[in-house]
Amino acid sequence: QKHKRTIADERGFEHWKRVEDSWLTDAYHFNLFPGTSITVSSIGASMQRCEPHPWDPNRSIYEHWHMTIKPLK
């Protein structure tokens, strides 16, 4: 945590200097709806979603999106 704060400007993640310590090392996982979850960390967020296939009951559609915070530099 201390190291991330010292390299925050160098890496372009200025927000690392303002967040609580736990946000620098932990990932927070939230279940929103049946089949949808979001995981948030200090560098971005991931969304996972699963739904039944429209015509084949033996298949499903899985989506995984990862959004990264763009460094300021």
Side-chain angles (χ1 to χ4, degrees), residues 35-53:
T36 304
S37 66
I38 292 181
T39 304
V40 183
S41 71
S42 66
I43 61 166
S46 291
M47 183 182 85
Q48 297 180 68
R49 186 172 165 260
C50 190
E51 63 182 37
H53 193 273

Side-chain angles (χ1 to χ4, degrees), residues 15-71:
H15 68 282
W16 284 356
K17 295 187 289 185
R18 295 188 312 269
V19 298
E20 294 179 24
D21 286 347
S22 61
W23 277 95
L24 295 174
T25 53
D26 298 341
Y28 294 91
H29 187 77
F30 305 95
N31 292 310
L32 300 178
F33 303 106
T36 304
S37 66
I38 292 181
T39 304
V40 183
S41 71
S42 66
I43 61 166
S46 291
M47 183 182 85
Q48 297 180 68
R49 186 172 165 260
C50 190
E51 63 182 37
H53 193 273
W55 51 268
D56 187 346
N58 294 315
R59 297 172 67 187
S60 63
I61 298 170
Y62 172 74
E63 294 179 296
H64 181 205
W65 293 41
H66 185 79
M67 297 144 278
T68 302
I69 298 170
K70 183 177 178 181

